[in-house]
């Protein structure tokens, strides 16, 4: 067998193993060990295995993972998300389907203090959905909006997926963060237009009954400050520090986590027990993500050794294919895989093959990263593995609401995201203008 | 998903009553190491925050912060690996296992058992290869940091990775045997 054949076989085997429920990290270690053993021998495989396990995680940058996860979990319990939503609700109460739009923008703001879509999904399914249902919106639409706008969490910095991409592509995390801002705003606007369009043309999809509930109460200036100050100060601290050059991403994570902790303590939303369970949760998410990165390092080294990425680049970029056919094929594949496996794993499996091709094609890797993240996020909303949708289902705990209802509610937003993806492909500047300055 | 987790913990709780003492002690160790790793996240946060404060207020970075943070992170991962495996929190897809559990449970359990076994082998290999690196480091007296300013030997960290990987491997092995026993028993029921 040639190295290239071994590489192809390893990828196919890995997808099969993952589908059969093998832990993804273990699967990557397993096929990589086998691959290197076949390409060279067991001795080399063993040495590479040891080197990867010992040194691939010893990066200052990776400390960003537990810190931003911790920060996300802390703001989730501290009620900051609800306050943000309240303010937007008040602001948009005269707009048709204003609560839907408020959810999108509250999510966009909340996204800038949390790096995980799941945090946004679980907060807003508890905060925004009951409020929308109270005002006559259908549950299907309400949960669909929450699922759709939760993807902003991964796009607007800080973002776990951007960190993972930056690591794989050897781009700066700071630049990747900046690259997410423009596309995040674009998607928020496209989502809002989708909501307004639905409210205009497909009223029965949005509303179940007429709004009988009393309008949102008026807030005094003091109340507005009380509700707005925590999130504004956290956003300023984290993003301001990051973009002002006072903090590197890891430090922004540490300061943000500490700030979120202070806010949670000031609001008395933490007791020792809940604090400990948040820490444990942060730890397990961290291990799960970093173990994936560890095994993906081995996997991508094995692939590089097999020569598959270089060979693929030659075939795809010469003659009949051309770079844009490759780009479209890649994005379609990401979206399809998104129906099967989770976001980070898709990136860890596909990027070691796709990045060398993209580099060879002369693509701007920051732009390519934004496209990848948006395409991966579409997978969060499509059945059967739409993680955001399942999070909402379990956060809602409502037997009348089936997973299928939420998927149907989120479908218009899947279309909206595909539309936004096309715009992002056509206008790379949206992604790169901030990051390349 | 939620209900499944609940039944799983229920099963776990039911099993725990019948657990032999060595297994109980073992689980204490695994979860205790996890708790230590969890605690280190707070330490990591404080290390980095104090570096920021020192740099911006006192005008001087603290020594070794980036190396120390990196090593703390590695410790966090390997200390918690065992407990993450024990609580089934390693990322995996649930689609096929859910389907198999409903339509052909025996095969589903069999596949699950195989994955536990491969997990044990993979983590065992990490431990084994780390042992080689540890011996090399000990012989060479490897360290991190700047000579004359502040240095730390790397061997204690290697030992920690070795222990973490070994514990993870044993945890997988325990789950492998538990799955095998259940498999054998459930087949007996059918017959």
């Amino acid at each position: 067998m040639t190295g290239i054949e071994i590489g192809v076989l390893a990828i196919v085997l890995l997808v099969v193993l993952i589908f059969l429920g093998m832990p993804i990290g273990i699967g990557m270690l397993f096929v990589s060990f086998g691959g290197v053993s076949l390409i060279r021998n067991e001795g080399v495989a063993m040495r590479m295995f040891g080197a990867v396990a010992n040194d691939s995680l010893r990066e200052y940058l990776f400390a960003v993972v537990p810190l931003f996860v911790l920060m996300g979990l802390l703001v989730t319990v501290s009620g900051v998300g609800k306050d943000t939503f309240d303010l937007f609700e008040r602001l948009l109460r005269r707009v048709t389907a204003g609560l839907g739009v408020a959810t999108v923008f509250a999510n966009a703001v909340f996204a800038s203090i949390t790096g995980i879509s799941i945090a946004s999904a679980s907060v807003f399914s508890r905060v925004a959905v009951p409020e929308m249902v109270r005002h006559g919106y259908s549950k299907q639409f309400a949960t669909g909006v929450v699922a759709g706008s939760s993807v902003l969490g991964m796009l607007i910095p800080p973002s776990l997926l951007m960190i993972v991409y930056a690591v794989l592509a050897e781009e700066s995390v700071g630049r990747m963060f900046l690259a997410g801002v423009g596309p995040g705003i674009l998607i928020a606007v496209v989502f809002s237009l989708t909501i307004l369009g639905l409210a205009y043309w497909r009223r029965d999809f949005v509303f179940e009954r007429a709004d009988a509930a009393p309008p949102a109460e008026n807030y005094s200036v003091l109340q507005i400050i009380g509700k707005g100050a925590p999130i504004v100060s956290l956003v300023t601290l984290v993003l301001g520090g990051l973009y002002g050059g006072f903090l590197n991403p890891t430090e922004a994570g540490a300061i943000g986590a500490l700030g979120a902790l202070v806010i949670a303590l000031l609001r008395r939303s933490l007791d020792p027990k809940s604090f400990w369970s948040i820490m444990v949760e942060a730890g397990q998410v961290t291990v799960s993500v970093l173990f994936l990165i560890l095994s993906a390092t081995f996997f991508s080294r094995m692939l590089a050794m097999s020569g598959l990425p270089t060979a693929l680049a030659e075939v795809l970029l010469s003659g009949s294919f051309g770079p844009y056919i490759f780009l479209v094929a890649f994005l379609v594949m990401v979206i399809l895989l998104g129906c099967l496996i989770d976001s980070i794993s898709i990136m860890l499996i596909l990027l070691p093959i796709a990045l060398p091709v993209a580099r060879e094609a002369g693509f701007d890797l920051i732009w390519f990263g934004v496209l990848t993240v948006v395409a991966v996020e579409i997978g969060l909303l499509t059945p059967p593995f739409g993680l955001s949708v399942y999070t909402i289902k379990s956060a809602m705990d409502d037997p009348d609401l089936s997973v299928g209802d939420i998927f149907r509610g989120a479908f218009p937003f899947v279309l909206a995201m595909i539309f936004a993806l096309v715009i992002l492909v056509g206008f790379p500047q949206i992604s790169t203008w901030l990051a390349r300055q | 998903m939620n209900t499944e987790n609940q039944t799983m913990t229920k099963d776990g709780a039911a099993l725990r009553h019948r657990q032999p003492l060595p297994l109980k002690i073992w689980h204490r160790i695994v979860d205790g190491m996890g708790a230590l790793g969890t605690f280190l996240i707070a330490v990591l946060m404080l290390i980095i925050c104090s570096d920021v404060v020192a740099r911006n207020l006192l005008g001087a970075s603290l020594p070794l912060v980036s190396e120390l943070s990196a090593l703390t992170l590695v410790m966090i991962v390997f200390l918690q690996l065992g407990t993450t495996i024990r609580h089934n929190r390693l990322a995996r897809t649930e689609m096929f296992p859910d389907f198999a559990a409903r339509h052909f449970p025996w095969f589903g359990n069999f596949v699950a058992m195989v994955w536990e076994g491969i997990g044990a082998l993979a983590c065992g290999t990490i431990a084994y290869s780390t042992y080689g690196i540890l011996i090399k480091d000990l012989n060479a007296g490897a360290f991190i940091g700047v000579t004359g300013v502040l240095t730390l030997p790397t061997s204690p960290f290697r030992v920690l990775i070795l222990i973490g990987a070994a514990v993870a491997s044993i945890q997988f092995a325990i789950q492998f045997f538990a799955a095998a026993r259940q498999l054998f028993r459930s087949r007996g029921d059918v017959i």
Side-chain angles (χ1 to χ4, degrees), chain A residues 84-109 124-125 127-152 187-200 203 205-207 211 216 409 412-413:
Chain A
T84 315
F85 178 73
D86 287 347
L87 288 180
F88 276 102
E89 175 180 7
R90 174 70 195 75
L91 199 69
L92 295 167
R93 68 175 171 177
R94 290 191 194 288
V95 179
T96 320
L99 277 180
V101 181
T103 308
V104 171
F105 280 98
N107 251 300
V109 173
F124 285 94
S125 51
V127 171
V129 174
E131 188 65 10
M132 279 195 265
V133 171
R134 206 165 67 85
H135 283 281
Y137 291 63
S138 74
K139 254 185 211 164
Q140 187 179 332
F141 173 78
T143 47
V145 173
V146 171
S149 45
S150 72
V151 304
L152 293 168
I187 289 185
V189 171
V190 172
F191 277 0
S192 305
L193 293 177
T194 309
I195 292 170
L196 293 178
L198 283 171
Y200 190 74
R203 237 187 134 66
F205 183 82
V206 179
F207 297 102
D211 183 0
F413 300 96

Side-chain angles (χ1 to χ4, degrees), chain A residues 16-26 29-30 33 46-47 49-51 53-55 57-67 70 245-248 250-251 253-255 257-258 261 275-276 279-288 290-292 294 339-342 345 384-385 387 390 394 397, chain B residues 1-2 34-36 38-46 48-49 51-53 55-56 65-67 69-71 73-74 76-78 80-81 83-85 87 89-97 107 111-112 114-116 118-123 125-126 128-130 133 136 144 154 157-158 161-162 172:
Chain A
V16 172
L17 290 177
I18 289 175
F19 177 75
L20 290 178
M22 190 169 187
I24 296 164
I26 301 289
L29 291 177
F30 180 69
F33 189 87
M46 189 67 94
R47 269 201 301 283
F49 203 164
N54 274 270
D55 297 323
L57 292 182
R58 221 176 76 195
E59 295 283 340
Y60 173 67
L61 174 63
F62 290 150
V64 79
V65 175
L67 297 171
L70 180 61
F246 304 110
L247 305 172
N248 64 37
T250 312
E251 290 167 351
I255 297 281
L258 191 65
L261 179 60
F275 181 52
W276 182 248
M279 293 289 291
V280 170
E281 174 71 20
Q284 293 189 339
V285 174
T286 305
V287 173
S288 178
L290 291 178
F291 189 69
L292 278 177
L294 183 159
C339 302
L340 291 176
I341 50 182
D342 70 283
S345 307
F385 198 78
L387 203 54
Y390 286 103
S394 66
D397 204 18
Chain B
M1 255 160 84
N2 209 16
L36 189 62
T38 305
F39 174 71
L40 281 181
I41 296 179
V43 173
L44 180 68
M45 181 179 86
L46 292 177
I48 296 173
C49 283
D51 182 43
V52 173
V53 171
R55 199 184 52 219
N56 286 308
V65 163
S66 81
E67 289 87 344
S69 315
L71 286 173
L73 185 76
V74 176
I76 289 173
V77 172
F78 279 96
Q80 299 198 88
L81 191 54
T83 184
T84 307
I85 292 164
H87 293 105
R89 289 295 303 268
L90 282 184
R92 65 170 84 194
T93 60
E94 306 280 346
M95 208 165 41
F96 172 79
F107 181 67
V111 172
V114 173
W115 298 161
E116 308 283 10
I118 294 179
L121 285 180
C123 292
T125 312
I126 295 180
Y128 176 75
S129 54
T130 305
I133 297 175
K136 218 189 308 171
I144 57 157
T154 54
F157 298 101
R158 303 285 189 217
I161 295 177
L162 177 64
F172 264 130

